[in-house]
Structures are given as structure tokens and as C-alpha cells.
Amino acid sequence: HHINQCRGCYRKCILKPGIRCGTFRDDMDMILKEMVSSDLMLFASPYYCASYTAIMARFLERCLPLWEVEIVGELGTMNAFRFINAPLKGKKAVIGLVQDFKDPSTARPALKAFLHNLGQTYLMNIIHKIHVTDVRDPGDIRKKEDVLENIFALGRKLARGRR
């Protein structure tokens, strides 16, 4: 997919109805529509530099057109906006993170960022977290048969509509 880098011109996106970026015509037009029509989304990334990847950050930044707000307070404060429409609110999301470190606690900042951005920024319902450690080289994930079976079992469960 082709996704341009957000330019931070938020008011072109969030102060108008609709779910289109006010600056770019790229693949996000289609992706945003698909997100709004979805019941469940998986957001997955490798763990790089104490967070998810820059590609995931770019993607999440470009999801801002999913907000429609009005200014009701002082800009630059948490009370500046009132939501008129937040089409991802309450939608189910699964977070996936894969890292090379054996110690899962090293990824706390990345998981916290995922939880904040999806749960608080986009108001999604995080129903599950997948966190796979000790994956360094191509093919390492295939050696984690128990982890993969748990992930497939989760997929089957979610596909049947159960949490």
C-alpha cells in the first residue's frame, strides 16, 4: 500500500465530516473505509527501538480522519475537543508484537503505546494482546509451535464471534 507521511494538519481532517484526509489521496482512503466497516482488526508490528515500527506509527497517524470533533475548549489541552463521530469507538482490536529479546518486559513501552493509541486515541476495545519473544532470524517464529497454535486457536475463536 502507498501511505503518505502525515503532515500534522489535523484540522483539515478532524474538524470536518467524513473519513478522508484533507491533504492526500492515497491508499488510506480505501483503508479507512475498510476499518469503519470492520468488526475486528489486528494491529501487528515488530518491536523496534522500544516501540512499534515507524511504519505502524505512520499508519496510526493517518487514521486521524476517523475523528470528527468540534472545538469546545482551549487548544493544546485535553479538553479542547468534543467528539461528534468516532467510528472506531468500541470496535474490537487485537494487538500483536514480535520481538527478539527473551524478556517480555522490555516491550512494555511498545505495548503501552499500542494500548494508548488504539484504546484511548481511537477508542477501540482491545480484546487480546499477542506478544511473541525470542524471534531474531527469519524462520524463528516457525519454531514456536505452541505459540503459533495459540494464535491460530485465537483466530478460530474470534472468527466464530467469541471473545
Side-chain angles (χ1 to χ4, degrees):
H1 290 287
H2 176 72
I3 300 173
N4 289 299
Q5 180 68 46
C6 181
R7 290 194 180 155
C9 49
Y10 307 116
R11 291 184 208 159
K12 287 184 177 182
C13 297
I14 67 175
L15 294 176
K16 63 178 184 57
I19 54 168
R20 282 179 54 156
C21 172
T23 301
F24 298 116
R25 300 283 58 83
D26 60 14
D27 290 340
M28 283 304 289
D29 290 343
M30 180 264 312
I31 293 169
L32 293 173
K33 288 177 187 174
E34 291 292 324
M35 291 174 72
V36 170
S37 67
S38 297
D39 296 322
L40 171 70
M41 287 164 260
L42 168 65
F43 297 86
S45 175
Y47 172 73
Y48 291 169
C49 299
S51 190
Y52 42 71
T53 63
I55 295 167
M56 179 60 71
R58 171 183 283 193
F59 173 77
L60 292 173
E61 290 166 357
R62 290 295 311 285
C63 288
L64 281 174
L66 293 169
W67 281 9
E68 182 185 353
V69 301
E70 68 177 340
I71 298 172
V72 294
E74 180 184 351
L75 290 176
T77 69
M78 294 301 287
N79 299 319
F81 305 113
R82 181 182 73 78
F83 281 98
I84 297 170
N85 190 20
L88 296 187
K89 184 177 182 177
K91 287 192 179 272
K92 295 177 185 173
V94 174
I95 295 169
L97 194 66
V98 177
Q99 69 179 62
D100 63 347
F101 292 115
K102 292 180 181 184
D103 180 2
S105 70
T106 60
R108 281 190 193 127
L111 289 171
K112 186 176 179 179
F114 252 146
L115 289 169
H116 177 81
N117 284 325
L118 297 174
Q120 293 178 3
T121 301
Y122 294 107
L123 309 172
M124 297 184 78
N125 177 16
I126 312 301
I127 61 169
H128 198 80
K129 291 179 282 196
I130 299 168
H131 185 191
V132 184
T133 61
D134 201 21
V135 176
R136 243 166 256 90
D137 297 313
D140 280 355
I141 192 78
R142 291 188 185 122
K143 299 172 190 169
K144 298 192 164 282
E145 292 177 18
D146 57 333
V147 171
L148 291 174
E149 181 51 43
N150 288 338
I151 292 169
F152 289 129
L154 173 66
R156 288 188 295 271
K157 186 175 161 182
L158 293 172
R160 288 191 302 264
R162 291 187 249 143
R163 276 182 92 182

